Amino acid sequence: MAGVGGVAAAGLIGPGAANADAAEACSDVEVVFARGTAEPVGVGRVGQAFVDDLRGSLRGQSISVYAVNYPASYDFLQATPQGADDASAHVQATAANCPDTSIVLGGYSQGAAVVDLITADPNATFGFGRPMPPAVADHVAAVAVFGNPAGKIGRTLTAMSPLYGTKTIDLCNGADPVCSDGDDRPAHSLYVESGLTDRAADFVSGRLASDTLVNASGATG
């Protein structure tokens, strides 16, 4: 994002961040998305719908996509932190190598928990938190999570994250038992059909437009 290009790479890459190849060409927007449990490798069904909806809202802007590389297995205590470490390393590398790229974080189900670990207050993640260096927040334009397990205990990411909360949309589909105290099990598989990926894309595109206006004002100010 414009206005933060002067942040030194050394200040962004925190402990445990992997060395990543610099992008051949930096995109205007990069979506970093973590799929749900047991979904095939990639961004998953919800992630793909979200990306497709976002592309429709951001015509004329280049959008790259990074699928968080992690097992997404039922061994949550092992898989989720692995996803958090991979996502964190990639986001930090993107912020360092492409400082003007607006990063969008996203995740569905277990993937939402992955995003929680890198953006929420560590005290709210029961010792599993992998918070990114604070400077990275300036590069993240928006966060969109779906079916977030933290909602089951009343902890939405909007409330758990001092740095990212105001730029986050945390969506639970009705009585989805993964993110609420309801028991509508099919609801957890219906985020696309319920229109929530489109709603998230609208929120994110609004955040990106707001950031563009702010940066343009600063550039001419």
Side-chain angles (χ1 to χ4, degrees):
M1 292 155 59
V4 291
V7 178
L12 290 169
I13 305 299
N19 292 324
D21 293 333
E24 292 182 5
C26 296
S27 58
D28 296 322
V29 178
E30 175 159 293
V31 178
V32 177
F33 200 94
R35 71 194 189 280
T37 305
E39 288 194 294
V41 171
V43 295
R45 182 170 177 268
V46 173
Q48 189 60 58
F50 171 63
V51 169
D52 291 344
D53 290 337
L54 192 59
R55 289 189 191 280
S57 299
L58 299 176
R59 297 186 186 280
Q61 296 189 53
S62 59
I63 302 176
S64 58
V65 179
Y66 178 77
V68 175
N69 182 16
Y70 84 118
S73 69
Y74 287 98
D75 187 355
F76 303 115
L77 296 183
Q78 293 294 324
T80 309
Q82 287 180 45
D85 288 344
D86 182 78
S88 177
H90 182 80
V91 170
Q92 291 180 61
T94 299
N97 296 325
C98 297
D100 293 326
T101 292
S102 295
I103 300 170
V104 175
L105 300 178
Y108 163 63
S109 194
Q110 183 179 178
V114 166
V115 175
D116 288 348
L117 294 187
I118 63 175
T119 59
D121 181 339
N123 293 322
T125 54
F126 306 104
F128 290 97
R130 265 52 172 186
M132 296 184 291
V136 175
D138 291 336
H139 296 262
V140 176
V143 181
V145 289
F146 308 85
N148 190 352
K152 182 78 171 179
I153 55 173
R155 296 190 177 191
T156 62
L157 185 54
T158 52
M160 290 195 300
S161 179
L163 284 176
Y164 299 90
T166 59
K167 59 181 76 175
T168 295
I169 185 167
D170 189 331
L171 295 170
C172 185
N173 187 23
D176 176 356
V178 171
C179 51
S180 78
D181 59 3
D183 193 29
D184 183 1
R185 295 178 183 276
H188 190 61
S189 302
L190 298 175
Y191 280 84
V192 179
E193 292 79 1
S194 63
L196 292 182
T197 57
D198 188 53
R199 179 178 165 188
D202 286 345
F203 172 84
V204 170
S205 60
R207 288 286 316 176
L208 290 165
S210 176
D211 280 2
T212 298
L213 289 173
V214 169
N215 291 332
S217 174
T220 59

